[in-house]
Amino acid sequence: MEEQQGGVIGDEGGQWVEDVAHPDLSQKDPTIVQDTYKIVRGLLTQYGWLVLFVIIVLMYLKSKLNPYLEQYRRKRENATSQASYNPDVALSRQEAMEQARLRMQQRQDALAAQYAEEQRKREEAKRQEKIDEWEKLQKGKGYHSKTKGHQTNEASGESKPKPQPKKRLRDGFNPMTGQGGGSSRWRPSPRGGARGGG
C-alpha cells in the first residue's frame, strides 16, 4: 500500500522514494548550481579555444554581412514606403518644392539685375571720367590728374598739396655699405682650418 507524506511515497517494501514527478521548488538545491558550474567549467577547459575561435569567426562574419543586412533592411523599408505611397501627398510636396525653387530663382534674378545695374553705373562713371580727362587735355590742363582723389578748386586758387618726404627709420644706416648699423654687422668667418703642429 502506498502512502504519500510530504512529497515522499512509501511502498510496501519499506523503501521510501522521492516523488520525482512533482519536485518541491520552494527549496533551492545548491547542488544544481554546483553541478551546472562544474559542467560549464569542464566544457570551457576542454573546448575553450574552440569556443573562442567560434566567437571570433561569428563576429567576423557579422561585420562582413552587416552591410548586406542593412541594404536588405533599407530595401524592405522602401518597399513598405512604396506600398503606402500616397500620390496626393507626393504631388503637394513636389508643388511646394517647385514654388520654393521659383522663389529662390526670383531672388537670384533680382540680385543679378542689381549687380548688372551697379556694373553699368561703374562703367558709366569710368566713361564720364575718360570724357572729363579728354576735355582737360583739350583745354591744356594735362592728362590724368595726379591728385585724382584730391580735386582742387581752381577758382579759389588752391594749389596741389605737396607730398611730404618719408621719414627715415634710422639715420646713418645703409645696408649696402655695411656702415652705421652698430655692432651687429656681418663679418666673414676666418679662412683656413685648425692650425696644429705637425
Side-chain angles (χ1 to χ4, degrees), residues 88-192:
D88 296 332
V89 173
L91 182 63
S92 65
R93 187 178 300 146
Q94 188 175 5
E95 288 174 354
M97 285 175 58
E98 279 297 320
Q99 288 179 356
R101 283 188 189 124
L102 185 62
R103 283 192 304 265
M104 288 174 64
Q105 186 63 43
Q106 288 173 348
R107 190 178 316 137
Q108 189 64 28
D109 290 344
L111 288 173
Q114 182 181 1
Y115 179 74
E117 182 66 24
E118 289 175 2
Q119 285 292 100
R120 190 188 60 76
K121 285 180 182 178
R122 280 191 207 119
E123 298 213 359
E124 181 66 27
K126 282 184 182 178
R127 190 180 69 77
Q128 187 63 37
E129 186 179 325
K130 285 185 179 183
I131 290 172
D132 292 344
E133 291 289 334
W134 177 252
E135 288 176 358
K136 283 183 184 179
L137 181 64
Q138 293 297 322
K139 291 180 183 178
K141 294 182 180 179
Y143 189 67
H144 289 300
S145 173
K146 293 183 181 175
T147 58
K148 278 190 180 181
H150 306 293
Q151 301 233 347
T152 60
N153 189 359
E154 293 175 6
S156 65
E158 291 182 21
S159 63
K160 297 178 185 176
K162 294 182 179 179
Q164 295 179 354
K166 292 182 181 178
K167 291 172 51 176
R168 298 190 75 156
L169 296 178
R170 291 191 328 197
D171 290 332
F173 174 69
N174 187 354
M176 300 302 281
T177 61
Q179 296 175 357
S183 64
S184 61
R185 67 175 199 228
W186 180 79
R187 292 187 185 104
S189 62
R191 297 246 171 200

Side-chain angles (χ1 to χ4, degrees), residues 6-105:
V8 179
I9 301 173
D11 62 354
E12 293 179 11
Q15 295 178 341
W16 295 94
V17 180
E18 290 187 28
D19 186 9
V20 181
H22 302 288
D24 187 12
L25 296 177
S26 62
Q27 297 176 353
K28 294 194 175 183
D29 192 9
T31 58
I32 293 174
V33 175
Q34 289 176 352
D35 289 343
T36 307
Y37 174 74
K38 286 180 182 178
I39 290 171
V40 170
R41 193 175 113 209
L43 287 173
L44 284 178
T45 55
Q46 191 171 2
Y47 302 109
W49 289 108
L50 180 65
V51 170
L52 181 66
F53 179 72
V54 167
I55 289 172
I56 291 172
V57 167
L58 289 176
M59 288 175 61
Y60 176 76
L61 289 176
K62 182 186 176 205
S63 70
K64 287 296 181 183
L65 294 178
N66 204 20
Y68 298 111
L69 294 174
E70 285 293 323
Q71 186 178 11
Y72 176 72
R73 194 174 304 139
R74 274 191 235 117
K75 282 182 182 178
R76 288 200 48 162
E77 288 175 3
N78 287 342
T80 56
S81 67
Q82 287 178 358
S84 63
Y85 177 72
N86 188 353
D88 296 332
V89 173
L91 182 63
S92 65
R93 187 178 300 146
Q94 188 175 5
E95 288 174 354
M97 285 175 58
E98 279 297 320
Q99 288 179 356
R101 283 188 189 124
L102 185 62
R103 283 192 304 265
M104 288 174 64
Q105 186 63 43

